Amino acid sequence: MNFQLTEEQILTQKTAREFADNELAPGVVERDEKKIFPKEGIKQMADLGFMGIMVEPKWGGGGMDSISYTIAMEEISRVEASSGVVMSVNNSLVCYLLEKFASDHLKEKYLKPLASGNKLGAFSLSEPQAGSDASNMRTFANKDGDHYYISGTKNWVTNGINSDYVILFAVTEKGIGHKGVSCFLVEKGWDGFETGKAENKLGIRASDTCELYFDNVKIPAKNLIGNEGEGFKIALATLDGGRIGIASQALGIAQASLNASVAYSNERIQFGKPISKNQAIQFKIADMGMEIEAARLLIRQAAWKKDQKQNYGHLASMAKVYASEVAMRASTQCVQIHGGFGYMRESGIERLMRDAKITQIYEGTSEIQRVVIARELLKK
Ligand code: CAA
């Protein structure tokens, strides 16, 4: 077993780290406060090849492995978790899905611009009554000749406003549960397709989340991805990889919490000495460090198994549950170490705690991840 990163992975880490510290860090508190989408940062991430890291170069991507992806995601999210989720959705939910399941026609037309970062994608599965129970969706796609006509409402769509293309799941046959769900690619601007207002969120406020409305939207039948009825399995297979991305986002938040805690506790003087001289602080920092290392190993193991084409879904779920819980614990302790200062908006410290929370919810709640893990462990 070899824990050493390859030269390519080390270079990816260095590039992502320097970019995040130099380019993303300025303005991060203001973007969070005012809900400003990190447009310039995302454009620069596209130039660095971060928007389609794992996609084969012939489809416009970076052709790198999944471990490189987790490393870049961690570094970006360490500085701005909002940029992290924009990147994660485009890479692991949109580009991955298209590369694995779409026709060459769709890859040529949509994957190339998405993987190179010239266009941005969104993944739209959830509906008001279908969150964890995702197959209980009502959005309906009616086939007529060479087109489908789609009507319905989707919600909690990350990148919903700023995206150009949306991966959309809709029912093509009612009454047969998940076997009636199909997957489509829909372009923004098509008649009858409207986006809702940007949601006002607790965290990851610089990324956009909104509802999508479809009113008899006409889409070409060749924009169906896979076959009719395969949509739900395509969604779940894609989410397996997505969960590695979100775990990496959580890890970045946890690492930021540790870094800030170390720096502040070494410089904050109380009772005539740095607060890091107190065991009460040292133990918090030790726990953060230990849990972060464990989360990182779980994430890299899941990424490695994915690349080896081994069964990895339950390992991705383990990585996501654990890393998101570590992010919550580390960011909460980070605020505690910073005391009153950390509670202030302008400190940028309380943002870590707010950003961490969503990692326990989206792309499958911690409870759903435990269902996935237990099902695998209990298999006969
Ligand atoms: N890959 C491929 N197929 C899979 C699969 C996987 N990982 N897991 C299950 N399947 C198959 C099953 O074998 C089954 O097929 P058969 O009927 O042919 O055997 C089919 O898919 C349905 O599986 P289940 O019966 O297990 O389905 P379920 O309704 O019980 O749901 C679930 C399982 C795990 C709860 C699933 O619904 C789930 O993961 N829910 C959470 C949804 C979610 O993660 N939503 C996130 C929204 S996207 C988002 O957050 C993006 C964003 O903007 C950031």
Side-chain angles (χ1 to χ4, degrees), residues 193-232:
F193 179 5
E194 302 286 338
T195 54
K197 64 172 176 40
E199 302 287 1
N200 194 14
K201 296 173 294 187
L202 174 73
I204 55 162
R205 289 169 57 80
S207 70
D208 74 75
T209 305
C210 71
E211 292 192 330
L212 301 179
Y213 311 111
F214 299 88
D215 181 9
N216 214 27
V217 179
K218 180 180 177 184
I219 76 158
K222 55 187 177 198
N223 278 34
L224 172 73
I225 298 169
N227 295 313
E228 272 194 20
E230 288 177 358
F232 194 59

Side-chain angles (χ1 to χ4, degrees), residues 42-78:
I42 300 301
K43 192 176 162 303
Q44 289 172 287
M45 280 157 62
D47 293 343
L48 290 169
F50 288 165
M51 297 308 281
I53 293 185
M54 297 169 288
V55 174
E56 265 191 66
K58 75 168 176 174
W59 299 119
M64 287 192 226
D65 62 6
S66 296
I67 292 184
S68 301
Y69 170 55
T70 69
I71 289 170
M73 267 298 298
E74 178 189 337
E75 291 301 331
I76 301 293
S77 305
R78 178 179 57 76

